[in-house]
Amino acid sequence: MSTDINEQRKALRDAALHFHEFPKPGKLEIQPLKPLGNQRDLALAYSPGVAAPCEEIANSPEAVARYTSRQNLVAVISNGTAVLGLGNIGALASKPVMEGKAVLFKKFAGIDVFDLEVDEADPKKFIDAVLPLWPTFGGINLEDIRAPDCFEIEEALRERMPIPVFHDDQHGTAIIVGAAVLNGLELAGKTIAEAKICVSGAGAAAIACLNVLVGLGARHENIWVADKDGLVTHRRDDVSDKWRSQFRRETDATTLAEVFDGADIFLGLSAPGVLKQEMLAKMAPKPLILALANPTPEIMPELAKEVRPDAMVCTGRSDYPNQVNNVLCFPFIFRGALDVHATTINEEMKLAAVRAIARLAHEPGLEVSPSGAPAVYGPEHIIPNPFDQRLILRIAPAVARAAMESGVAKKPIENWDAYRDGLNRFVFRSGLVMKPIIDRAQGKGKRIAFADGEDERVLRAAQVLLEERIARPILIGRPAVLEARIERFGLGIRPGVDCEVINPEDDPRYRDYVSLFHSLVGRQGVTPDTARTIVRTNTTVIGALAVKRGEADALLCGLQGRYIKHVRDIRSIIGVRDGVTDYSAMSMLILPQGAFFLTDTYVNQNPSADEIVAIALQARDHLQRFNIPVKAALLSYSNFGSRDGDSAFKMRDAYAKLKAIAPDLVVEGEMQGDLALNETLRDRYVPDSALRGEANLLIFPDLDAANLSMTLLKEMNSALAVGPILMGTRAPAHILAPSVTSRGIVNMAAIAANEAVGAEG
């Protein structure tokens, strides 16, 4: 067994070293925000143009937030004296950790970071080195500094710097522990004022945790603290600093074990194995165990459960439920503080974060947890998962509001709806593009039939659709299975009450569905017996029949089975729109520079010029629903007649027909992809083109080109894909990608509902 563990550790170490070295050393780099493509750009970015913002800031210091990146820039600063799991390894060796912290800030909250490793162990000299840096940053995140130096450093910098200073090792852990304690006590039916708390560890994180718990209502007389030298008591003469001394007790006991009887909470921030099973057996009913030593906790969860199956256990590990991970809070606390130009991060802001995190654990998750376990509030889920995308949506506004109410916000938020909308767009990159679609669908009550109604992603999406009033789901699935899964995932949907259910095994409309289906496909080799079987087993057919009968306004399907098979089922029942020869598919890719629409990415292998014209016009109509001005490019290997061939001829013909049919459509071609996106290159061929800037609707000559381009762009740019959007159907129907997320299903349901609204005129 030990050999296997050693091999696993070596494999992880080798992988981590490769990860940090290739393709470029490190984990972050600096990228310019503004173009530097010509002499004018240089003159604006540097001399002489840069003098203008400098003068504005000199006259009004608050203008620095308008003209520089300072307000979104945080310094992660360490001297490497207490690196998690590694100890005092020094400033230089701590740099990979600080770079890691920087990428977490950027990934989870969109905050830029400079990491600063200061080679100074003396706290006073460290303070003197950091203090003059405040003009550079909107906030300071102190990291991995040993206790008690970290207390002195943070206290001095907070008093003397006009920006937020936050030692995450203390306060980040404390905030998450506070949330876990609130929910753990709630589940146990206890109050924090009466809870007995036993603590192993008296370092920076432990003291900060206790301060937060006291702020939440814990009583000093109920708190017992021990460090490596035993209980912190008045009998000891080695506990003189003001931070630990507040938790000294009058007692003859010398060890934590002696005072463990009836403890409600164990908080461990010390060393592996210090919590013994015999100690755990002495605790009160439904104890909360916070064993946070890393990587090996004070007691392993399985050992705790052997003795106390009623215990709720939190660790710092990602392979167990209830992971206490600082990424749950620090990016979002800074996000809220920076957004209101807070001068500090005070106790009110920390407690607001505690309560926001605790409340979020009560809500069912939009996505499945990384472990695959359902995120349902209870003993195995008392704090949210670190990757819950809603953390920023809950914590940042709570922190910002607390900053305003406590008087430390220099730029209060005036429009909370707009602020939350901006956060939502950051979390869900599709938010900005999807907003007009969702706004138009909300409150209209359009009914969306979900062929894969039993799928967890669909159930989670259905809850969002109901909560946000985007659409009314119709779930196709077995009622017993739906109810069991809804309960398992902790969702609030009530099948048959909040949403309609079509039961494939026993629905009173079954005979009518079979009769209609056979009338539509009976002359395509489908016998009555086959029709009965299909209507029992093919949920896409059931959903399409519901749309055909007017019992649903739109259909979403496709999580199981081949795309083209779903196309055939939809075509045979719902049919093709008048004036359209066949279906086509449009995919949206959301890239850093904007949203791009690509056609036809799934259906037509080699469309004719007339079919390309029809595809372009249908795509134009969809972009108009997104409130996006259409700038179309007909793509080819040829640039405006530079080469001949069937594909080039087809795209030239399509261009001529489009200009004749839709003269107001901004379209150009035929041309290669780089010309479609680069106006300077395009002007060399057609300087007077109506297409300016980048094309946003890319129309390909065949399925090979479209699908390959779409999949390559998506992977190479980590693009967010929305769609495919099926076009040309007589009623809205879309085939989901099997890899779609719950949020992706919400987006497609909104698109379908929007189409249904538009069909009403």
Side-chain angles (χ1 to χ4, degrees):
M1 179 67 71
S2 61
T3 302
D4 292 341
I5 293 174
N6 288 335
E7 288 178 354
Q8 291 173 7
R9 287 175 177 169
K10 183 180 184 303
L12 178 62
R13 178 181 177 83
D14 291 344
L17 291 173
H18 187 276
F19 176 87
H20 282 78
E21 184 177 0
F22 300 103
K24 292 172 65 176
K27 294 193 285 281
L28 68 161
E29 64 181 6
I30 295 174
Q31 294 282 354
L33 290 175
K34 303 296 166 62
L36 290 170
N38 52 52
Q39 191 65 36
R40 176 170 173 75
D41 290 344
L42 186 60
L44 293 172
Y46 201 54
S47 181
V50 74
C54 290
E55 291 168 346
E56 291 293 318
I57 295 167
N59 292 329
S60 175
E62 290 300 313
V64 70
R66 293 181 59 193
Y67 299 117
T68 76
S69 61
R70 177 182 185 265
Q71 199 54 41
N72 197 51
L73 183 63
V74 165
V76 172
I77 307 180
S78 179
N79 60 7
T81 54
V83 178
L84 180 64
L86 299 173
N88 187 357
I89 61 174
L92 186 64
S94 74
K95 187 170 179 62
V97 180
M98 303 312 126
E99 285 192 356
K101 197 69 177 277
V103 297
L104 294 178
F105 266 109
K106 188 66 174 179
K107 169 70 176 177
F108 289 101
I111 295 171
D112 296 314
V113 165
F114 287 163
D115 62 290
L116 301 175
E117 292 72 36
V118 180
D119 188 17
E120 182 53 72
D122 183 290
K124 289 184 172 54
K125 292 181 179 178
F126 185 94
I127 293 166
D128 290 339
V130 173
L131 189 61
L133 299 176
W134 70 265
T136 305
F137 303 105
I140 303 289
N141 184 100
L142 299 172
E143 190 79 13
D144 292 347
I145 302 171
R146 68 190 172 198
D149 296 354
C150 58
F151 299 122
E152 179 183 348
I153 289 169
E154 186 192 38
E155 189 174 277
L157 293 177
R158 286 184 64 185
E159 288 176 355
R160 298 163 64 184
M161 298 180 89
I163 58 175
V165 178
F166 186 82
H167 185 215
D168 184 45
D169 300 315
Q170 296 178 59
H171 309 299
T173 301
I175 287 164
I176 303 160
V177 164
V181 166
L182 287 180
N183 284 338
L185 292 176
E186 178 185 77
L187 290 168
K190 303 175 183 179
T191 66
I192 194 167
E194 301 301 323
K196 181 178 180 179
I197 304 168
C198 289
V199 184
S200 176
I207 298 302
C209 288
L210 291 174
N211 287 334
V212 164
L213 295 182
V214 169
L216 292 170
R219 297 178 180 173
H220 278 84
E221 59 265 31
N222 293 336
I223 298 171
W224 298 85
V225 181
D227 60 16
K228 60 183 176 57
D229 297 315
L231 273 180
V232 175
T233 70
H234 285 285
R235 293 173 177 269
R236 287 175 53 178
D237 58 8
D238 60 344
V239 183
S240 58
D241 63 81
K242 63 180 180 181
W243 300 283
R244 289 186 299 164
S245 61
Q246 62 179 313
F247 296 105
R248 290 189 297 179
R249 298 295 303 274
E250 286 285 3
T251 179
D252 292 331
T254 59
T255 67
L256 198 63
E258 295 175 69
V259 297
F260 221 71
D261 286 6
D264 298 290
I265 299 169
F266 169 77
L267 173 59
L269 289 148
S270 54
V274 301
L275 179 58
K276 309 300 182 185
Q277 286 184 315
E278 54 268 27
M279 296 169 64
L280 187 54
K282 299 178 183 180
M283 295 187 74
K286 298 182 180 178
L288 174 60
I289 311 301
L290 295 143
L292 306 183
N294 237 343
T296 306
E298 286 79 2
I299 189 168
M300 294 298 291
E302 55 268 24
L303 293 178
K305 292 287 189 179
E306 282 181 8
V307 181
R308 296 299 300 265
D310 61 335
M312 292 167 276
V313 185
C314 301
T315 70
R317 295 171 57 127
S318 60
D319 52 347
Y320 289 97
N322 294 323
Q323 183 193 9
V324 175
N325 187 325
N326 287 9
V327 79
L328 271 167
C329 68
F330 74 80
F332 318 120
I333 289 172
F334 270 96
R335 182 71 281 157
L338 294 173
D339 290 340
V340 294
H341 297 202
T343 57
T344 187
I345 294 174
N346 57 26
E347 294 306 309
E348 293 88 343
M349 296 160 74
K350 295 174 198 172
L351 294 179
V354 169
R355 295 188 176 98
I357 294 170
R359 283 193 297 269
L360 180 56
H362 291 245
E363 302 179 28
L366 180 60
E367 303 296 350
V368 187
S369 67
S371 66
V376 180
Y377 180 60
E380 300 297 296
H381 184 72
I382 63 174
I383 47 177
N385 185 278
F387 288 91
D388 192 315
Q389 293 176 301
R390 299 165 300 173
L391 284 162
I392 191 173
L393 304 178
R394 303 293 187 273
I395 299 173
V399 169
R401 189 179 293 278
M404 292 164 55
E405 291 175 353
S406 60
V408 298
K410 293 195 296 182
K411 187 181 178 183
I413 292 169
E414 297 178 357
N415 187 332
W416 283 98
D417 289 338
Y419 180 63
R420 292 190 183 93
D421 187 53
L423 293 175
N424 194 69
R425 291 201 301 269
F426 169 76
V427 175
F428 304 111
R429 285 188 289 165
S430 59
L432 180 62
V433 181
M434 290 300 303
K435 191 176 190 307
I437 296 288
I438 291 173
D439 287 349
R440 207 172 293 124
Q442 279 180 323
K444 300 299 193 301
K446 292 304 171 185
R447 302 158 299 168
I448 311 294
F450 287 93
D452 304 285
E454 296 176 1
D455 189 281
E456 178 177 354
R457 292 166 291 175
V458 169
L459 294 173
R460 293 183 185 278
Q463 173 129 350
V464 174
L465 293 172
L466 287 166
E467 289 175 352
E468 299 185 6
R469 302 183 306 111
I470 296 172
R472 289 167 49 198
I474 299 173
L475 301 176
I476 301 174
R478 297 159 291 178
V481 174
L482 291 171
E483 289 174 6
R485 292 185 178 178
I486 287 168
E487 182 178 0
R488 178 171 176 247
F489 304 139
L491 302 174
I493 311 171
R494 296 169 298 170
V497 179
D498 300 317
C499 60
E500 186 181 343
V501 174
I502 299 178
N503 181 4
E505 295 180 342
D506 183 21
D507 192 282
R509 296 163 291 189
Y510 172 68
R511 293 179 183 276
D512 295 333
Y513 275 41
V514 171
S515 176
L516 174 59
F517 181 56
H518 188 258
S519 72
L520 295 169
V521 299
R523 294 185 179 275
Q524 298 174 24
V526 178
T527 66
D529 285 344
T530 302
R532 282 190 284 272
T533 300
I534 291 172
V535 174
R536 281 275 189 231
T537 59
N538 189 322
T539 55
T540 296
V541 167
I542 295 170
L545 289 168
V547 173
K548 184 75 172 179
R549 285 166 51 89
E551 296 164 353
D553 299 301
L555 167 67
L556 292 185
C557 61
L559 294 183
Q560 302 290 331
R562 293 165 51 221
Y563 185 92
I564 202 64
K565 174 65 167 61
H566 293 290
V567 169
R568 288 197 293 268
D569 289 338
I570 293 169
R571 185 190 290 115
S572 65
I573 298 169
I574 292 178
V576 179
R577 186 185 308 163
D578 292 340
V580 176
T581 58
D582 199 0
Y583 297 157
S584 59
M586 178 172 69
S587 297
M588 176 167 63
L589 294 180
I590 300 177
L591 297 160
Q593 61 267 48
F596 295 86
F597 297 80
L598 290 70
T599 64
D600 171 9
T601 50
Y602 278 89
V603 181
N604 290 276
Q605 290 190 2
N606 188 17
S608 67
D610 288 331
E611 288 171 331
I612 285 174
V613 169
I615 290 168
L617 294 177
Q618 291 174 68
R620 173 200 62 186
D621 295 342
H622 271 283
L623 264 69
Q624 288 173 347
R625 293 190 181 99
F626 285 95
N627 291 347
I628 294 176
V630 181
K631 295 191 290 183
L634 297 164
L635 301 181
S636 172
Y637 57 80
S638 169
N639 282 322
F640 307 103
S642 65
R643 294 186 62 181
D644 290 337
D646 291 344
S647 175
F649 291 148
K650 176 171 66 176
M651 301 310 276
R652 277 177 225 166
D653 190 17
Y655 173 76
K657 291 180 177 181
L658 276 170
K659 294 304 290 181
I661 295 171
D664 294 334
L665 176 65
V666 177
V667 61
E668 193 55 271
E670 86 283 8
M671 58 183 163
Q672 295 175 1
D674 54 353
L675 269 68
L677 302 178
N678 189 318
E679 182 178 351
T680 302
L681 292 177
R682 190 168 58 247
D683 282 348
R684 296 177 186 174
Y685 286 84
V686 186
D688 57 348
S689 172
L691 174 60
R692 311 312 301 173
E694 293 179 327
N696 56 16
L697 173 58
L698 306 178
I699 303 168
F700 292 84
D702 56 41
L703 183 59
D704 277 346
N707 190 272
L708 286 170
S709 297
M710 186 266 294
T711 52
L712 282 171
L713 282 170
K714 178 175 175 290
E715 290 303 313
M716 293 175 68
N717 295 279
S718 298
L720 177 66
V722 177
I725 298 168
L726 190 63
M727 303 188 297
T729 54
R730 188 172 288 276
H734 299 288
I735 304 164
L736 302 167
S739 61
V740 70
T741 64
S742 294
R743 174 55 57 172
I745 294 172
V746 170
N747 286 338
M748 289 305 301
I751 289 170
N754 202 276
E755 290 179 83
V757 171
E760 296 177 340

